[in-house]
Amino acid sequence: MRVPLERKVLNENDRIAAGLRERYARGGVFCLNLISSPGSGKTALLERTLEGFDPARRVAVLTGDIQTDNDARRLQRYGFPVRQITTAGACHLDARMVERGLEGWDVENLEILFVENVGNLVCPTSYDLGEEARAVLLSVTEGEDKPLKYPATFHHADLMVLNKIDLLPHVPFQAELARENARRVQPEIEIVEVSCTSGEGLDKWRAWLEAHL
Amino acid sequence: MERETGIEPATNSLEGCDSTTELLPPANSILTAVADARAMPLQYGLHEMSIAAAVLDAVRTESALHGGAHVSRAGLRIGELSGVEPESLRFCLETLVTGDALAPLAFELEIRPWMRRCRDCGAEFRVVDYSPACPACRSANTEAAGGDEMELSYVEIEEPACESRLNEKS
């Protein structure tokens, strides 16, 4: 006997994510899920972002890695609450890890919650973390064709942050081609170009954030 | 909220494990680790393995909803944009089901194409060569219309009535 179904495989993850989303909505929290390859500059972008915030702002960060709390150590210098989630091998964060990571925090009282995913351009895509928006980082030392190679990730992103643009004179990266590739996969994607080293473009990134609060 | 500045202890995603060191398989137990396949997704980081474990949980739930009947076949709908590699998922499903109480259980994977819909002429079309433009009217004003499915689409349940009839005959 065949029983037809439409059961989402990750319905348990989706259920927890929906609960998180409801909590964020109740408190007016903007939750951003940051995804990229290892080394594209997620932590550097967060460092520059936290550095630029008034210390009175209600901002917090959950940062995911397979091992070490190095990223949390880097990010905690700026005085905002930071927690490291070590996944002990898992290649992505899931909603349950985020829910546990938030334990004890007055989440509804935050303005912004950054969730820095595990450095991986494939696996985090499938897992809803209850975020309001997803940002994917691409750095100019990578290939312009990354959006085509990892379409699922770029297709689900609201924003592409093109990072390390201070290196453009030294690498063969064609920024226009990267933008075009991202828009082929996700025509509505917004794009900001930044350098976390020189600070160029960070005003546009901050403006994008503020516009979503 | 109360301002916290220190780094807090790592939040572990595994129930019943208090430190990451406990998660590492002992050096001599690679076979044990393989046998304990449900621990594999976290130890080996293959996300298809965690998805396969979720599929088996869904099959168990369906079996329970049907009075514990054996599920002989499960259909999965996997979209091209789901982030799941179908062959890798199949491998993980077969690995996990071996030796599990769910065995024997066959899987059928249906791949769903990456689709968009034209906001101007309404046509739904498959995205070919990453082109988001409508092939019917050439409009660039299109929206996502599928391809991120990751669903259990059916289960085939062995009917206990047939089994009891067979038993009567024998």
Coordinates of all heavy atoms in Angstrom, one line a residue, chain A residues 1-10 55 57 72-73 76 79-92 97 100-101 105-106 109-110 123 126-127 148 152 155-156 184-185 187-188, chain B residues 1 3-8 10-13 15 20 23 42 45 47 50-51 54-55 58 61-62 65-66 81-83 114 116 119 129-130 132 142 144 148 150-157 159:
Chain A
M1 N 0.8 -1.2 0.0 CA 0.0 0.0 0.0 C 0.9 1.3 0.0 O 1.8 1.4 0.9 CB -0.9 0.0 1.3 CG -1.8 1.2 1.4 SD -2.8 1.2 2.9 CE -1.6 1.4 4.2
R2 N 0.7 2.1 -1.0 CA 1.5 3.3 -1.1 C 0.8 4.5 -0.4 O -0.4 4.8 -0.7 CB 1.8 3.7 -2.5 CG 2.7 4.9 -2.6 CD 3.1 5.2 -4.0 NE 4.1 4.2 -4.5 CZ 5.0 4.5 -5.5 NH1 5.0 5.7 -6.0 NH2 5.9 3.6 -5.8
V3 N 1.4 5.1 0.6 CA 0.9 6.3 1.3 C 1.6 7.5 0.8 O 2.7 7.7 1.0 CB 1.1 6.1 2.8 CG1 0.4 7.3 3.5 CG2 0.6 4.8 3.3
P4 N 0.8 8.4 0.0 CA 1.5 9.6 -0.5 C 1.7 10.6 0.7 O 0.8 10.7 1.5 CB 0.5 10.1 -1.5 CG -0.7 9.3 -1.4 CD -0.5 8.3 -0.4
L5 N 2.8 11.3 0.7 CA 3.1 12.2 1.8 C 3.7 13.5 1.2 O 4.2 13.5 0.0 CB 4.2 11.6 2.7 CG 3.9 10.3 3.3 CD1 5.2 9.7 3.9 CD2 2.9 10.4 4.4
E6 N 3.8 14.5 2.0 CA 4.6 15.7 1.7 C 5.3 16.1 2.9 O 5.3 17.2 3.4 CB 3.7 16.8 1.1 CG 3.4 16.6 -0.3 CD 2.7 17.8 -0.9 OE1 2.9 18.9 -0.5 OE2 1.9 17.6 -1.9
R7 N 6.0 15.1 3.5 CA 6.7 15.4 4.8 C 8.1 15.9 4.5 O 8.9 15.3 3.9 CB 6.8 14.1 5.6 CG 7.5 14.3 6.9 CD 7.8 12.9 7.5 NE 6.6 12.4 8.1 CZ 6.2 12.7 9.3 NH1 6.8 13.5 10.1 NH2 5.0 12.1 9.8
K8 N 8.4 17.1 5.0 CA 9.7 17.7 4.8 C 10.7 16.9 5.6 O 10.5 16.6 6.8 CB 9.7 19.1 5.3 CG 9.0 20.0 4.4 CD 9.5 21.4 4.3 CE 9.1 22.1 3.1 NZ 8.6 23.5 3.2
V9 N 11.8 16.5 5.0 CA 12.8 15.7 5.7 C 13.4 16.4 6.9 O 13.6 15.8 7.9 CB 13.9 15.3 4.7 CG1 15.1 14.7 5.4 CG2 13.4 14.4 3.6
L10 N 13.6 17.7 6.8 CA 14.1 18.4 7.9 C 13.0 19.1 8.7 O 13.2 20.2 9.2 CB 15.2 19.4 7.4 CG 16.4 18.8 6.8 CD1 17.4 19.9 6.3 CD2 17.2 17.9 7.7
P55 N 28.8 51.0 21.7 CA 28.7 49.9 22.7 C 27.4 49.8 23.4 O 27.1 48.7 23.9 CB 29.8 50.3 23.7 CG 30.6 51.4 23.1 CD 29.8 52.0 22.0
R57 N 24.6 49.5 21.8 CA 23.7 48.8 21.0 C 23.6 47.4 21.4 O 24.5 46.8 22.0 CB 24.1 48.9 19.5 CG 24.0 50.3 19.0 CD 24.1 50.4 17.6 NE 22.9 49.9 16.9 CZ 22.7 50.1 15.6 NH1 23.6 50.8 14.9 NH2 21.6 49.7 15.1
A72 N 35.4 33.2 18.5 CA 34.8 33.9 19.6 C 35.8 34.8 20.3 O 35.5 35.9 20.8 CB 34.2 32.9 20.6
R73 N 37.0 34.3 20.4 CA 38.1 35.1 21.1 C 38.3 36.4 20.3 O 38.5 37.4 20.9 CB 39.4 34.3 21.2 CG 39.4 33.3 22.2 CD 40.8 32.5 22.2 NE 40.6 31.3 23.0 CZ 40.6 31.2 24.3 NH1 40.7 32.3 25.0 NH2 40.4 30.1 24.9
Q76 N 35.1 38.7 20.8 CA 34.7 39.2 22.2 C 35.4 40.5 22.6 O 35.0 41.1 23.6 CB 34.9 38.1 23.2 CG 36.3 37.6 23.3 CD 36.9 37.9 24.7 OE1 36.2 38.1 25.7 NE2 38.2 37.9 24.7
G79 N 33.2 43.9 23.2 CA 32.3 44.1 24.3 C 30.9 43.7 24.1 O 30.1 43.9 25.0
F80 N 30.6 43.0 23.0 CA 29.3 42.5 22.8 C 29.2 41.0 23.2 O 30.2 40.4 23.1 CB 28.9 42.7 21.3 CG 28.8 44.2 20.9 CD1 29.8 44.8 20.3 CD2 27.7 44.9 21.3 CE1 29.8 46.1 19.9 CE2 27.6 46.3 20.9 CZ 28.7 46.9 20.2
P81 N 28.0 40.5 23.5 CA 28.0 39.1 23.9 C 28.3 38.2 22.6 O 27.7 38.5 21.6 CB 26.5 38.9 24.3 CG 25.9 40.3 24.4 CD 26.8 41.2 23.7
V82 N 29.2 37.3 22.9 CA 29.6 36.4 21.8 C 29.6 35.0 22.3 O 30.1 34.8 23.4 CB 31.1 36.8 21.3 CG1 31.6 35.7 20.3 CG2 31.1 38.2 20.7
R83 N 29.1 34.1 21.6 CA 29.2 32.7 22.0 C 29.7 31.8 20.8 O 29.3 32.0 19.7 CB 27.9 32.1 22.4 CG 27.7 32.2 23.9 CD 26.4 31.4 24.3 NE 26.1 31.8 25.6 CZ 24.8 31.8 26.1 NH1 23.8 31.5 25.3 NH2 24.6 32.2 27.3
Q84 N 30.6 30.9 21.2 CA 31.1 29.9 20.2 C 30.3 28.7 20.2 O 30.0 28.1 21.3 CB 32.6 29.6 20.5 CG 33.2 28.6 19.6 CD 33.7 29.3 18.3 OE1 34.3 30.3 18.3 NE2 33.3 28.7 17.2
I85 N 29.8 28.2 19.0 CA 29.2 26.9 18.9 C 30.3 26.0 18.3 O 30.6 26.3 17.1 CB 27.9 26.9 18.1 CG1 26.9 27.9 18.7 CG2 27.4 25.5 18.0 CD1 25.7 28.0 17.8
T86 N 30.8 25.0 19.0 CA 31.6 24.0 18.3 C 30.8 22.8 17.9 O 30.1 22.2 18.7 CB 32.9 23.6 19.1 OG1 32.4 23.3 20.4 CG2 33.9 24.7 19.2
T87 N 30.8 22.5 16.6 CA 29.9 21.5 16.1 C 30.5 20.1 16.2 O 29.9 19.1 15.9 CB 29.6 21.7 14.7 OG1 30.8 21.6 13.9 CG2 29.0 23.1 14.5
A88 N 31.8 20.0 16.6 CA 32.5 18.7 16.8 C 32.4 17.8 15.6 O 32.0 16.7 15.6 CB 31.9 18.0 18.0
G89 N 32.6 18.4 14.4 CA 32.6 17.6 13.2 C 31.5 18.0 12.2 O 31.7 17.8 11.0
A90 N 30.4 18.5 12.7 CA 29.3 18.8 11.8 C 29.7 20.0 10.9 O 30.3 20.9 11.4 CB 28.0 19.0 12.5
C91 N 29.3 19.9 9.6 CA 29.8 20.9 8.7 C 28.9 22.1 8.5 O 29.0 22.9 7.6 CB 29.9 20.1 7.3 SG 28.5 19.1 7.0
H92 N 27.9 22.2 9.4 CA 26.9 23.3 9.3 C 26.3 23.5 10.7 O 26.4 22.6 11.5 CB 25.8 22.9 8.3 CG 25.1 21.6 8.8 ND1 25.6 20.4 8.4 CD2 24.1 21.4 9.6 CE1 24.8 19.4 8.9 NE2 23.9 20.0 9.7
M97 N 21.2 23.7 17.4 CA 22.5 24.3 17.9 C 22.3 25.7 18.2 O 22.8 26.2 19.2 CB 23.6 24.1 16.9 CG 24.0 22.7 16.5 SD 25.3 22.7 15.3 CE 25.1 21.1 14.5
R100 N 20.2 26.2 21.3 CA 21.0 25.9 22.6 C 22.0 27.1 22.8 O 22.3 27.4 23.9 CB 21.7 24.6 22.4 CG 20.8 23.5 22.6 CD 21.5 22.1 22.6 NE 20.5 21.1 22.6 CZ 20.8 19.8 22.3 NH1 22.1 19.5 22.0 NH2 19.9 18.9 22.3
G101 N 22.6 27.5 21.7 CA 23.5 28.6 21.8 C 22.9 29.9 22.4 O 23.7 30.7 23.0
W105 N 20.3 33.9 27.1 CA 20.4 35.2 26.6 C 18.9 35.8 26.5 O 18.0 35.1 26.2 CB 21.0 35.3 25.2 CG 22.5 35.3 25.2 CD1 23.3 35.3 26.3 CD2 23.3 35.3 24.0 NE1 24.6 35.3 25.9 CE2 24.6 35.3 24.5 CE3 23.1 35.3 22.7 CZ2 25.7 35.4 23.6 CZ3 24.2 35.3 21.8 CH2 25.5 35.4 22.3
D106 N 18.8 37.1 26.7 CA 17.5 37.8 26.6 C 17.4 38.1 25.1 O 17.6 39.3 24.7 CB 17.5 39.0 27.5 CG 16.2 39.7 27.4 OD1 15.2 39.2 26.8 OD2 16.1 40.8 28.0
N109 N 15.3 40.9 23.4 CA 15.7 42.3 23.6 C 16.9 42.8 22.7 O 17.4 43.9 22.9 CB 16.1 42.4 25.1 CG 16.1 43.8 25.6 OD1 15.4 44.6 25.1 ND2 16.8 44.1 26.7
L110 N 17.3 41.9 21.8 CA 18.4 42.3 20.9 C 17.9 43.1 19.7 O 16.7 42.9 19.3 CB 19.1 41.0 20.4 CG 20.0 40.2 21.3 CD1 20.4 38.9 20.6 CD2 21.2 41.0 21.7
C123 N 26.9 22.7 2.8 CA 26.0 22.1 3.8 C 25.1 23.1 4.5 O 23.9 22.8 4.8 CB 26.8 21.3 4.8 SG 28.0 20.2 3.9
S126 N 21.0 24.0 3.4 CA 19.8 23.2 3.7 C 19.1 23.5 5.0 O 18.0 23.1 5.3 CB 20.0 21.7 3.6 OG 20.8 21.4 2.5
Y127 N 19.9 24.2 5.9 CA 19.4 24.3 7.3 C 18.9 25.8 7.6 O 19.7 26.7 7.7 CB 20.5 23.9 8.3 CG 20.8 22.5 8.2 CD1 21.6 22.0 7.2 CD2 20.1 21.6 9.0 CE1 21.9 20.6 7.1 CE2 20.3 20.2 8.9 CZ 21.2 19.7 8.0 OH 21.4 18.4 7.8
L148 N 28.0 30.0 -9.6 CA 27.5 28.9 -10.6 C 27.9 27.6 -10.0 O 27.1 26.6 -10.3 CB 28.2 29.1 -11.9 CG 28.0 30.5 -12.6 CD1 28.6 30.5 -14.0 CD2 26.5 30.9 -12.7
A152 N 22.9 26.6 -5.1 CA 21.9 26.5 -4.0 C 22.2 27.5 -3.0 O 21.3 28.2 -2.5 CB 21.9 25.1 -3.4
H155 N 21.5 31.0 -4.4 CA 20.0 31.1 -4.7 C 19.2 31.5 -3.4 O 18.2 32.2 -3.5 CB 19.5 29.8 -5.3 CG 18.1 29.8 -5.6 ND1 17.1 29.4 -4.8 CD2 17.4 30.3 -6.7 CE1 15.9 29.5 -5.4 NE2 16.1 30.1 -6.5
H156 N 19.7 31.0 -2.3 CA 19.0 31.3 -1.0 C 19.5 32.5 -0.3 O 19.1 32.7 0.8 CB 19.0 30.0 -0.1 CG 18.3 28.8 -0.7 ND1 18.9 27.8 -1.3 CD2 17.0 28.6 -0.7 CE1 18.0 26.9 -1.7 NE2 16.8 27.4 -1.4
R184 N 22.6 35.8 -12.0 CA 22.0 34.7 -12.9 C 21.3 33.7 -12.0 O 20.3 33.2 -12.2 CB 23.1 34.0 -13.7 CG 23.5 34.9 -14.9 CD 24.7 34.3 -15.6 NE 24.3 33.1 -16.4 CZ 25.3 32.4 -17.1 NH1 26.5 32.7 -16.9 NH2 24.9 31.4 -17.8
V185 N 22.0 33.4 -10.9 CA 21.5 32.4 -9.9 C 20.4 33.0 -9.1 O 19.4 32.3 -8.7 CB 22.7 31.8 -9.1 CG1 22.1 30.9 -8.0 CG2 23.7 31.1 -10.0
P187 N 18.4 36.5 -9.2 CA 18.2 37.9 -9.8 C 18.0 39.0 -8.8 O 18.3 40.1 -9.0 CB 17.1 37.7 -10.8 CG 17.0 36.3 -11.1 CD 17.5 35.6 -9.9
E188 N 17.4 38.7 -7.6 CA 17.1 39.7 -6.6 C 18.2 39.9 -5.6 O 18.1 40.8 -4.7 CB 15.8 39.3 -5.9 CG 14.5 39.7 -6.6 CD 13.9 38.5 -7.2 OE1 13.8 37.4 -6.6 OE2 13.5 38.5 -8.4
Chain B
M1 N 19.6 43.6 27.8 CA 20.1 42.3 28.3 C 21.4 42.5 29.0 O 22.1 43.5 28.9 CB 20.3 41.3 27.1 CG 21.4 41.6 26.2 SD 21.4 40.6 24.8 CE 21.8 39.0 25.5
R3 N 25.0 42.4 29.9 CA 26.2 42.4 29.0 C 27.2 41.4 29.4 O 27.6 41.3 30.6 CB 26.8 43.8 29.0 CG 28.0 44.0 28.2 CD 27.9 43.7 26.7 NE 26.7 44.3 26.1 CZ 26.7 45.5 25.5 NH1 27.8 46.2 25.5 NH2 25.6 45.9 24.9
E4 N 27.5 40.5 28.5 CA 28.5 39.5 28.8 C 29.7 39.7 27.9 O 29.5 40.0 26.7 CB 27.9 38.1 28.5 CG 26.7 37.8 29.3 CD 26.0 36.5 28.7 OE1 26.5 35.4 28.9 OE2 24.9 36.7 28.2
T5 N 30.8 39.6 28.4 CA 32.0 39.8 27.5 C 32.9 38.6 27.4 O 33.6 38.5 26.4 CB 32.8 41.0 28.1 OG1 33.1 40.7 29.4 CG2 32.1 42.3 27.9
G6 N 32.8 37.7 28.3 CA 33.7 36.6 28.2 C 33.3 35.6 27.2 O 32.1 35.6 26.8
I7 N 34.1 34.7 26.9 CA 33.8 33.6 26.0 C 33.1 32.5 26.9 O 33.6 32.2 28.0 CB 35.0 33.0 25.3 CG1 35.6 34.1 24.5 CG2 34.7 31.8 24.5 CD1 36.9 33.7 23.9
E8 N 32.1 32.0 26.4 CA 31.4 31.0 27.2 C 31.8 29.6 26.7 O 32.3 29.5 25.6 CB 29.9 31.2 27.0 CG 29.6 32.6 27.4 CD 28.1 32.8 27.6 OE1 27.4 31.8 27.8 OE2 27.7 34.0 27.7
A10 N 31.9 26.1 25.0 CA 31.4 25.7 23.7 C 30.0 25.0 23.9 O 29.8 24.2 24.8 CB 32.3 24.7 23.1
T11 N 29.1 25.4 23.1 CA 27.8 24.7 23.1 C 27.9 23.5 22.3 O 28.2 23.5 21.1 CB 26.7 25.6 22.5 OG1 26.8 26.9 23.2 CG2 25.4 25.1 22.6
N12 N 27.6 22.4 22.9 CA 27.8 21.1 22.2 C 26.4 20.7 21.6 O 25.4 20.7 22.3 CB 28.3 20.1 23.1 CG 29.0 19.0 22.3 OD1 28.4 18.4 21.4 ND2 30.3 18.8 22.5
S13 N 26.5 20.3 20.4 CA 25.2 19.9 19.7 C 24.8 18.5 20.0 O 23.7 18.1 19.6 CB 25.4 20.1 18.2 OG 26.4 19.3 17.8
E15 N 23.6 15.4 22.2 CA 23.0 15.1 23.6 C 23.9 14.1 24.3 O 24.4 13.2 23.6 CB 21.6 14.6 23.4 CG 20.6 15.7 23.3 CD 19.2 15.2 23.1 OE1 18.7 14.7 24.1 OE2 18.7 15.4 22.0
T20 N 34.0 17.8 23.5 CA 34.3 17.4 22.1 C 35.2 16.2 22.1 O 35.1 15.4 21.2 CB 35.0 18.5 21.3 OG1 36.1 19.0 22.1 CG2 34.0 19.7 21.0
L23 N 33.7 12.9 21.6 CA 33.0 12.6 20.3 C 34.0 11.9 19.3 O 33.6 11.3 18.3 CB 32.6 13.9 19.6 CG 31.6 14.7 20.5 CD1 31.3 16.0 19.8 CD2 30.3 13.9 20.6
L42 N 28.0 13.6 12.8 CA 28.7 14.6 13.6 C 30.2 14.3 13.6 O 31.0 15.2 13.7 CB 28.1 14.6 15.0 CG 26.7 15.2 14.9 CD1 25.8 14.8 16.0 CD2 26.8 16.7 14.8
G45 N 31.1 14.7 9.4 CA 30.8 16.0 8.8 C 30.1 16.0 7.5 O 30.1 17.0 6.8
H47 N 27.1 16.2 5.4 CA 25.7 16.6 5.8 C 24.6 15.7 5.3 O 23.6 15.7 5.8 CB 25.5 18.1 5.6 CG 25.0 18.4 4.3 ND1 25.6 18.1 3.1 CD2 23.8 19.1 3.9 CE1 24.9 18.6 2.1 NE2 23.8 19.1 2.5
S50 N 23.5 13.5 8.0 CA 22.5 14.0 8.9 C 21.2 14.0 8.3 O 20.1 13.7 8.9 CB 22.8 15.4 9.5 OG 24.0 15.8 9.0
I51 N 21.1 14.3 7.0 CA 19.8 14.3 6.3 C 19.3 12.9 6.2 O 18.1 12.7 6.3 CB 20.0 15.0 4.9 CG1 20.2 16.5 5.2 CG2 18.8 14.8 4.0 CD1 20.7 17.3 4.1
A54 N 17.7 12.0 9.3 CA 16.3 12.6 9.4 C 15.3 11.9 8.6 O 14.2 11.8 8.9 CB 16.4 14.1 9.0
V55 N 15.7 11.4 7.4 CA 14.8 10.6 6.5 C 14.4 9.3 7.3 O 13.2 9.0 7.3 CB 15.5 10.2 5.2 CG1 14.7 9.1 4.5 CG2 15.8 11.4 4.3
A58 N 11.9 10.1 9.8 CA 10.6 10.3 9.2 C 9.9 9.0 8.9 O 8.7 8.8 9.0 CB 10.7 11.2 8.0
T61 N 8.5 7.5 12.0 CA 7.3 8.1 12.4 C 6.1 7.6 11.6 O 5.0 7.3 12.1 CB 7.4 9.7 12.2 OG1 8.6 10.1 12.9 CG2 6.2 10.4 12.7
E62 N 6.3 7.5 10.2 CA 5.2 7.0 9.4 C 4.8 5.5 9.7 O 3.7 5.2 9.7 CB 5.6 7.1 7.9 CG 5.6 8.5 7.3 CD 4.3 9.2 7.5 OE1 3.2 8.5 7.4 OE2 4.3 10.4 7.8
L65 N 2.7 5.6 12.8 CA 1.4 6.1 12.5 C 0.5 5.0 11.8 O -0.7 5.1 11.8 CB 1.5 7.3 11.5 CG 2.0 8.6 12.1 CD1 2.2 9.7 11.0 CD2 1.0 9.2 13.1
H66 N 1.2 4.0 11.3 CA 0.5 2.9 10.7 C 0.6 1.6 11.5 O 0.8 0.5 11.0 CB 0.9 2.7 9.3 CG 0.5 3.8 8.3 ND1 1.3 4.9 8.2 CD2 -0.6 4.0 7.6 CE1 0.7 5.7 7.4 NE2 -0.5 5.2 7.0
L81 N 18.2 22.5 -6.1 CA 18.7 23.5 -5.3 C 18.7 23.2 -3.8 O 18.8 24.1 -3.0 CB 17.9 24.8 -5.5 CG 18.1 25.5 -6.9 CD1 17.1 26.6 -7.0 CD2 19.5 26.0 -7.0
S82 N 18.5 22.0 -3.5 CA 18.3 21.6 -2.0 C 19.6 21.6 -1.3 O 19.6 21.6 -0.1 CB 17.6 20.3 -1.9 OG 18.5 19.3 -2.4
G83 N 20.7 21.6 -2.0 CA 22.0 21.5 -1.4 C 22.4 20.0 -1.1 O 23.4 19.8 -0.4
W114 N 15.2 22.7 -11.1 CA 15.2 24.1 -10.7 C 14.3 24.9 -11.6 O 14.5 24.9 -12.8 CB 16.7 24.6 -10.9 CG 16.9 26.0 -10.6 CD1 16.1 27.0 -10.2 CD2 18.2 26.7 -10.7 NE1 16.7 28.2 -10.0 CE2 18.0 28.0 -10.3 CE3 19.5 26.2 -11.1 CZ2 19.1 28.9 -10.3 CZ3 20.6 27.1 -11.1 CH2 20.3 28.5 -10.7
R116 N 11.6 28.3 -12.5 CA 11.2 29.7 -12.2 C 9.8 29.9 -12.9 O 9.4 29.2 -13.8 CB 12.2 30.7 -12.7 CG 13.5 30.6 -11.9 CD 14.5 31.7 -12.3 NE 14.1 33.0 -11.8 CZ 14.3 33.5 -10.5 NH1 14.9 32.7 -9.6 NH2 14.0 34.7 -10.2
R119 N 6.7 36.4 -14.1 CA 5.7 37.3 -13.5 C 4.9 38.0 -14.6 O 3.8 38.5 -14.3 CB 6.3 38.3 -12.6 CG 6.9 37.7 -11.3 CD 7.3 38.8 -10.4 NE 7.9 38.3 -9.2 CZ 9.2 38.6 -8.8 NH1 9.9 39.4 -9.6 NH2 9.7 38.1 -7.7
D129 N 21.1 26.4 -18.1 CA 22.3 27.2 -18.2 C 22.2 28.5 -17.3 O 22.6 29.5 -17.7 CB 22.7 27.5 -19.6 CG 24.1 28.1 -19.8 OD1 24.9 27.7 -18.9 OD2 24.3 28.9 -20.7
Y130 N 21.6 28.3 -16.1 CA 21.5 29.4 -15.1 C 20.7 30.6 -15.6 O 20.8 31.6 -15.0 CB 22.9 29.9 -14.7 CG 23.8 28.8 -14.2 CD1 24.8 28.3 -15.0 CD2 23.7 28.4 -12.9 CE1 25.7 27.3 -14.5 CE2 24.6 27.4 -12.4 CZ 25.6 26.9 -13.2 OH 26.4 25.9 -12.7
P132 N 17.9 33.0 -15.8 CA 16.6 33.3 -15.1 C 15.5 33.9 -16.0 O 14.4 34.1 -15.5 CB 17.1 34.3 -14.0 CG 18.2 35.0 -14.6 CD 18.9 34.1 -15.6
T142 N 11.1 37.3 -13.4 CA 10.7 36.0 -13.0 C 11.0 35.7 -11.5 O 11.8 36.4 -10.9 CB 11.5 34.9 -13.9 OG1 12.9 35.0 -13.5 CG2 11.3 35.2 -15.3
A144 N 11.3 32.5 -8.2 CA 11.6 31.1 -7.9 C 10.3 30.3 -7.9 O 9.3 30.8 -7.4 CB 12.3 31.0 -6.6
D148 N 14.0 23.5 -4.5 CA 14.6 23.2 -3.2 C 13.9 22.2 -2.3 O 14.1 22.2 -1.1 CB 14.8 24.6 -2.4 CG 13.6 25.5 -2.5 OD1 12.5 25.0 -2.8 OD2 13.8 26.7 -2.2
M150 N 13.0 18.9 -0.4 CA 13.7 17.8 0.3 C 12.6 17.1 1.1 O 12.3 17.5 2.3 CB 14.8 18.4 1.2 CG 15.9 17.4 1.5 SD 16.8 17.8 3.0 CE 17.6 19.3 2.4
E151 N 11.9 16.2 0.5 CA 10.6 15.7 1.1 C 10.6 14.2 1.0 O 11.1 13.6 0.1 CB 9.4 16.2 0.4 CG 9.2 17.7 0.5 CD 8.1 18.2 -0.5 OE1 7.6 17.4 -1.3 OE2 7.8 19.4 -0.5
L152 N 9.9 13.6 2.0 CA 9.5 12.2 1.9 C 8.2 12.3 1.1 O 7.2 12.8 1.6 CB 9.3 11.7 3.3 CG 9.1 10.2 3.5 CD1 10.3 9.4 3.0 CD2 8.8 9.9 5.0
S153 N 8.2 11.7 -0.1 CA 7.0 11.8 -0.9 C 6.0 10.7 -0.8 O 4.8 10.8 -1.1 CB 7.4 12.0 -2.4 OG 8.2 11.0 -2.8
Y154 N 6.5 9.5 -0.4 CA 5.6 8.4 -0.1 C 6.3 7.3 0.7 O 7.5 7.3 0.7 CB 5.0 7.8 -1.4 CG 6.0 7.0 -2.2 CD1 6.4 5.7 -2.0 CD2 6.6 7.6 -3.3 CE1 7.3 5.0 -2.7 CE2 7.6 7.0 -4.1 CZ 7.9 5.6 -3.8 OH 8.8 5.0 -4.5
V155 N 5.5 6.5 1.3 CA 6.1 5.3 1.9 C 5.2 4.1 1.4 O 4.0 4.3 1.2 CB 6.1 5.3 3.5 CG1 7.2 6.2 4.0 CG2 4.7 5.6 4.1
E156 N 5.8 3.0 1.2 CA 5.0 1.8 0.8 C 5.0 0.9 2.1 O 6.1 0.5 2.6 CB 5.7 1.1 -0.4 CG 5.1 1.7 -1.7 CD 5.7 1.0 -2.9 OE1 6.2 -0.2 -2.8 OE2 5.6 1.6 -4.0
I157 N 3.8 0.6 2.5 CA 3.6 -0.1 3.7 C 3.1 -1.5 3.4 O 2.3 -1.7 2.6 CB 2.6 0.6 4.6 CG1 3.3 1.9 5.2 CG2 2.1 -0.3 5.8 CD1 2.5 2.8 5.9
E159 N 1.0 -4.6 3.9 CA -0.3 -4.8 4.5 C -0.3 -6.0 5.4 O -0.2 -7.1 4.9 CB -1.4 -4.8 3.5 CG -1.5 -3.4 2.8 CD -2.3 -3.4 1.5 OE1 -3.5 -3.7 1.6 OE2 -1.7 -3.2 0.5

